[in-house]
């Protein structure tokens, strides 16, 4: 199965302009090098089944002044399309934007100390501030715009919840139908609620994410359905801009490390490509190292890395961080390339480490969903193991908003573990509706 379905392009005057622009977009197989243009919906090589990359022209210098210029009107407010010189040039009238990107880069010294770094050495890039509350919106604006440009009528994904929420929103913006496959259990309430509310057709399957994705790839190979999982090379082009924006916010000064959670490994794939491209066009002169953090119960990529990238084995995934409960990441070969290009690292953290790091991020007033906290938990582990030195600088990626998974918050703070509250558990205090009771609470709050 090739994953290639030819979708007829719109036959209007605009459609022929779309065709001209899409014909200039180059998509290349990372395994055999076969090249195609951007006129079809394709997520694997027609020749060998390999993963695909969009090729952007890198044979020239790009300066900071080139950014944000000559944008199509539809892309004017987007923190993704601002990096136009390093993105595929899709037709302006096809661009579907929800003003994604433009997210904060926080400095927090309490969390730097938590991670084992010196003050001033840690920043957190909060992708939970995107329109639907996760980094997925950055890829989705490019994926759904490409779908619209080629005239797709229905867009689809398998998801642990965030991709589906994002897809449902962007499909609604584009006026397209959307179909999502999610595991019947273990998807966070906020994500399911968004996906349903934005109007996607939601299919809950009796199986995990890996099964859902395999099933959907069969469907999209046989039918005219546009697949927007991160196997889609256009999705990754949008996700590159997390790196672009973070480095622009740092004045193009690379940190020593970037830590990120690894699930289906789309971000890992996109980040390596982004870093290599920035280096090639001269926007950075030094490459940051990527450190990918997986949950212990869902860590096939960490095991692959530990074997010197010799032995790869999918696993049956299990972790409290449902977003990254993935046992057979679709972007593994591209993610391997990212680790090799950036001299990166891969490690694991336990569910307890993830939840404690999340509580620390939440308590700093920043907040994130469980999977995001793997970035900080992993950094703490790497400083303890001596892989990262305390005087090195790091940016930890926070991938999703705290409100995505409120049940994870209440379980942490309200439920005991082994008969004891978790560290830092913060339980509401119930009192009689009387001033005297409130005075006692105030006194305790002030004096500990
Ligand atoms: N963090 C969050 C909050 C996520 O939703 C995901 C992936 C990841 C990290 C992992 O990113 O796949 O690029 O390695 N969520 C997908 C979804 C699988 O369906 O929402 P990755």
């Amino acid at each position: 199965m090739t994953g290639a379905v030819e979708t007829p392009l719109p036959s209007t005057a605009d459609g022929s302009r779309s065709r001209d622009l899409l014909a200039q977009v180059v998509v290349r197989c990372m395994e055999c090098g076969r090249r195609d243009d951007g006129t079809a919906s394709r997520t694997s090589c027609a020749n060998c089944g390999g993963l695909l990359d969009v090729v952007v022209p890198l044979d020239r210098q790009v300066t900071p002044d080139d950014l944000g210029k000559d944008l199509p009107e539809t892309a004017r407010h987007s923190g993704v399309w601002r990096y136009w010189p390093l993105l595929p040039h899709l037709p302006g009238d096809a661009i579907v934007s929800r003003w994604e990107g433009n997210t904060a880069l926080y400095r927090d010294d309490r969390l730097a100390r938590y991670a084992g770094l010196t003050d001033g050495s840690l920043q957190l890039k909060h992708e939970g501030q995107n329109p639907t509350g996760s980094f997925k919106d950055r890829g989705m604006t490019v994926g759904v715009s490409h779908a619209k440009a080629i005239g797709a009528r229905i867009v689809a994904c398998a998801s642990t919840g965030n991709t589906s929420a994002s897809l449902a929103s962007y499909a609604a913006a584009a006026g397209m139908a959307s179909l999502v496959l999610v595991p019947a259990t273990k998807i966070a309430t906020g994500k399911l609620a968004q996906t349903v509310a934005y109007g996607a057709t939601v299919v809950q399957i009796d199986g995990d994410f890996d099964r859902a994705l395999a099933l959907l790839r069969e469907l999209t190979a046989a039918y005219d359905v546009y697949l927007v999982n991160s196997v889609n090379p256009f999705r990754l082009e949008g996700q590159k801009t997390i790196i672009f924006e973070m480095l622009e916010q740092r004045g193009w000064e690379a940190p020593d490390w970037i830590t990120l959670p690894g699930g289906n490994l789309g971000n890992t794939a996109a980040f390596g490509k982004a870093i290599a491209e920035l280096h090639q066009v001269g926007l950075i002169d030094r490459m940051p190292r990527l450190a990918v953090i997986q949950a212990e119960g869902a860590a096939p990529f960490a095991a692959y890395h530990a074997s010197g990238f010799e032995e790869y084995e999918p696993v049956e995934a299990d972790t409290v961080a449902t977003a990254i409960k993935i046992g057979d990441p679709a972007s593994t070969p591209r993610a391997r390339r990212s680790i090799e290009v950036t001299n990166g690292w891969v490690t694991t953290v336990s569910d307890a480490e993830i939840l404690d790091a999340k509580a620390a991020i939440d308590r700093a007033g920043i907040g994130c969903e469980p999977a995001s906290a793997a970035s900080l938990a992993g950094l703490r582990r790497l400083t303890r193991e001596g892989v990262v030195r305390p005087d090195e600088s790091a940016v930890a990626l926070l991938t999703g908003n705290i409100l995505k998974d409120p049940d994870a918050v209440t379980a942490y703070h309200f439920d005991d573990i082994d008969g004891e509250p978790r560290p830092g558990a913060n339980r509401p205090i119930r009192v009689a509706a009387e001033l005297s009771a409130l005075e006692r609470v105030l006194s305790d709050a002030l004096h500990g």
Side-chain angles (χ1 to χ4, degrees):
M1 232 161 304
T2 65
V5 174
E6 301 299 328
T7 307
L9 289 164
S11 57
T12 58
D14 277 341
S16 62
R17 212 184 131 252
S18 288
R19 184 187 292 277
D20 290 347
L21 281 169
L22 291 169
Q24 288 166 33
V25 171
V26 178
V27 177
R28 184 179 58 205
C29 172
M30 73 169 283
E31 303 294 344
C32 74
R34 177 192 156 115
R35 284 169 176 255
D36 281 292
D37 66 20
T39 54
S41 151
R42 204 181 285 281
T43 52
S44 58
C45 175
N47 186 35
C48 74
L51 289 164
L52 305 172
D53 290 314
V54 172
V55 181
V56 291
L58 299 171
D59 51 354
R60 70 215 189 293
Q61 293 285 296
V62 175
T63 71
D65 287 345
D66 298 328
L67 305 175
K69 280 201 186 139
D70 305 324
L71 292 181
E73 180 58 25
T74 42
R76 208 156 51 88
H77 299 287
S78 172
V80 166
W81 293 103
R82 162 174 177 69
Y83 302 96
W84 187 248
L86 294 168
L87 294 177
H89 288 186
L90 299 182
D93 53 7
I95 288 180
V96 183
S97 167
R98 286 231 179 267
W99 299 29
E100 53 288 319
N102 303 306
T103 62
L105 180 66
Y106 294 123
R107 168 184 163 170
D108 193 289
D109 289 344
R110 288 161 297 188
L111 297 178
R113 276 173 247 142
Y114 182 90
L117 297 179
T118 51
D119 285 6
S121 303
L122 177 67
Q123 290 175 310
L124 301 110
K125 178 77 176 146
H126 208 326
E127 288 297 304
Q129 296 173 348
N130 273 290
T132 75
S134 84
F135 70 91
K136 304 289 182 179
D137 296 339
R138 293 203 188 242
M140 210 53 73
T141 182
V142 184
V144 169
S145 299
H146 181 248
K148 188 172 168 189
I150 68 167
R153 284 186 307 146
I154 181 162
V155 281
C157 71
S159 182
T160 57
N162 278 327
T163 305
S164 59
S166 182
L167 174 64
S169 169
Y170 280 76
M176 271 183 220
S178 60
L179 170 72
V180 313
L181 267 61
V182 293
T185 57
K186 297 212 173 168
I187 139 163
T189 319
K191 304 175 186 180
L192 184 60
Q194 284 179 293
T195 310
V196 170
Y198 295 144
T201 298
V202 180
V203 184
Q204 294 180 305
I205 67 151
D206 296 323
D208 57 13
F209 168 85
D210 299 295
R211 180 73 196 116
L213 182 55
L215 203 57
L216 189 61
R217 290 186 87 169
E218 277 184 50
L219 186 83
T220 54
Y223 294 91
D224 199 357
V225 176
Y226 186 98
L227 181 66
V228 290
N229 276 98
S230 55
V231 284
N232 179 319
F234 290 92
R235 268 274 309 276
L236 295 196
E237 290 302 294
Q239 288 173 211
K240 289 189 319 192
T241 67
I242 300 172
I243 294 291
F244 297 167
E245 189 178 277
M246 179 271 284
L247 286 164
E248 188 177 19
Q249 287 165 329
R250 290 176 52 94
W252 303 105
E253 188 67 43
D256 295 309
W257 291 91
I258 296 167
T259 65
L260 71 156
N264 213 24
L265 300 176
N267 263 341
T268 307
F271 285 16
K273 188 169 190 283
I275 291 167
E277 289 176 359
L278 288 179
H279 196 251
Q280 196 163 338
V281 299
L283 277 167
I284 55 172
D285 51 21
R286 191 173 72 95
M287 289 202 192
R289 299 175 72 182
L290 289 180
V292 176
I293 321 297
Q294 294 206 292
E296 258 168 28
F301 190 57
Y304 185 39
H305 175 253
S307 77
F309 290 131
E310 293 287 331
E311 286 160 47
Y312 175 75
E313 271 293 328
V315 302
E316 179 115 7
D318 191 25
T319 167
V320 67
T322 51
I324 52 174
K325 186 175 174 294
I326 295 172
D328 189 12
S331 274
T332 297
R334 292 195 287 216
R336 171 186 173 170
R337 179 180 63 186
S338 293
I339 295 300
E340 287 172 345
V341 165
T342 65
N343 186 24
W345 198 260
V346 190
T347 194
T348 61
V349 285
S350 67
D351 280 1
E353 288 175 288
I354 290 175
L355 291 177
D356 289 345
K358 171 177 153 54
I361 295 165
D362 293 352
R363 186 74 179 76
I366 293 172
C368 65
E369 66 161 288
S372 306
S375 300
L376 182 68
L379 185 59
R380 181 177 160 103
R381 177 170 273 209
L382 293 177
T383 56
R384 289 189 169 173
E385 288 173 354
V387 177
V388 176
R389 290 194 322 268
D391 63 331
E392 287 188 297
S393 57
V395 173
L397 177 71
L398 301 181
T399 44
N401 192 285
I402 186 172
L403 292 175
K404 288 283 189 173
D405 194 351
D407 299 332
V409 179
T410 50
Y412 186 91
H413 290 281
F414 300 173
D415 300 346
D416 283 350
I417 175 122
D418 302 328
E420 296 286 334
R422 297 221 187 229
N426 181 22
R427 295 187 177 169
I429 305 156
R430 184 159 180 177
V431 298
E434 285 164 11
L435 186 61
S436 58
L438 215 47
E439 283 167 347
R440 278 196 298 279
V441 172
L442 179 63
S443 164
D444 287 350
L446 285 173
H447 307 298

